[in-house]
Amino acid sequence: MRLSCALVTTALADLGRGLRGSPVPGELLRMASWRAARDGLGGRALDVFSGRLAPARLMVDRLVHVVRDALCASGDLDLVERLLSAVDRFGTRADRQRRAFREAGNPAGLVDRLADETLLGCERWSVTAVPDPR
């Protein structure tokens, strides 16, 4: 959410300065979305401007760079960087679910483990010192 808001803020600021974004065909956006859903942050992403695949995490770093001023202005840069660091350390939720499934060995075991983690407050995966965004 914070990156999305920063992206909109940056785009509006660019428009205010007379800068326009490059048009991207809808089909290319759909392909990029599919690739992101398929590979996640640990995989490769489609750079819609070059048409090439790049590490998804690198693409996120590029996005943070582009919206850095907006994140700084909103006071969110530190939070975004800490959350990305936590993802680097622990993986995404999908990564953790796949790991839990491998460890549990079956879907019922996965559900039990996720329920246990939820009931315990997910301390194992919590990001310490990250303020509640509410």
Side-chain angles (χ1 to χ4, degrees), residues 31-53:
M31 286 172 33
S33 178
W34 174 84
R35 185 74 192 214
R38 178 184 175 271
D39 283 6
L41 198 54
R44 292 166 41 110
L46 179 61
D47 181 336
V48 297
F49 299 110
S50 72
R52 294 191 171 113
L53 293 176

Side-chain angles (χ1 to χ4, degrees), residues 52-86:
R52 294 191 171 113
L53 293 176
R57 186 62 175 83
L58 174 64
M59 298 295 291
V60 171
D61 287 342
R62 289 179 186 169
L63 173 62
V64 171
H65 177 75
V66 167
V67 301
R68 179 174 290 284
D69 290 344
L71 289 171
C72 287
S74 67
D76 290 332
L77 179 61
D78 186 55
L79 174 62
V80 167
E81 288 178 341
R82 283 185 283 144
L83 290 171
L84 287 172
S85 177

Side-chain angles (χ1 to χ4, degrees), residues 87 90-100 110 114 117-118 122 125-127:
V87 168
F90 303 117
T92 64
R93 290 192 187 276
D95 294 331
R96 295 191 310 263
Q97 287 178 12
R98 283 191 294 273
R99 188 167 44 246
L110 168 64
L114 295 176
E117 286 185 8
T118 300
C122 299
W125 307 115
S126 67
V127 179

